[in-house]
Amino acid sequence: MRVRLPDGTEVMAQGRLDLVSSERPRQPDFALYLDSRWGDDPSVTWPHRLVDWPDFGLPIDEQAAFGDFSDLYCRARAGELVEVACYGGVGRTGTVLGCLAVLAGIPASQSVAWVRRHYHPSAVETPEQVGLIERFAESGPR
């Protein structure tokens, strides 16, 4: 699913359970995957990075993940077709979209509502994921 952030930056977001559309206009230039099953998929032939992030949890290395989120945003701003996905496409993917919305100008306090309105109504599934977006916003410019 194509998501247009508030500043016009576009990213593709999806999961493997068809909870959100998994159609792509073409192969991504780069992807950030939040579930190890993407790394084992032989059809994923494009450049990508895996974030060690358990389902319903938080990234194992939060600061490294913050850098990955910022890199994904910068690539998208530069015109690359980027994709972010976990397994279901809702919790972890929605959390990253919340962080990208912060980079695009949405206050952290409004980012979850923005993602739920523009991506999936159940996006960002846990209070810990909401807290991650807040810590990302507090961590300052990247």
Side-chain angles (χ1 to χ4, degrees), residues 26-103:
R26 63 176 172 83
Q27 177 176 302
D29 297 314
F30 181 81
L32 184 63
Y33 293 126
L34 316 169
D35 191 282
S36 62
R37 289 170 275 202
W38 285 97
D40 300 330
D41 185 339
S43 69
V44 176
T45 58
W46 45 87
H48 64 278
R49 188 170 304 128
L50 289 171
V51 175
D52 190 2
W53 189 341
D55 201 10
F56 296 101
L58 296 172
I60 300 303
D61 185 341
E62 194 170 284
Q63 290 306 307
F66 287 177
D68 292 336
F69 306 164
S70 295
D71 177 62
L72 190 73
Y73 177 77
C74 288
R75 287 171 181 269
R77 290 287 300 157
E80 290 185 42
L81 179 62
V82 301
E83 178 174 85
V84 60
C86 57
Y87 197 71
V90 179
R92 293 170 285 180
T93 299
T95 302
V96 172
L97 289 173
C99 292
L100 298 180
V102 166
L103 291 172

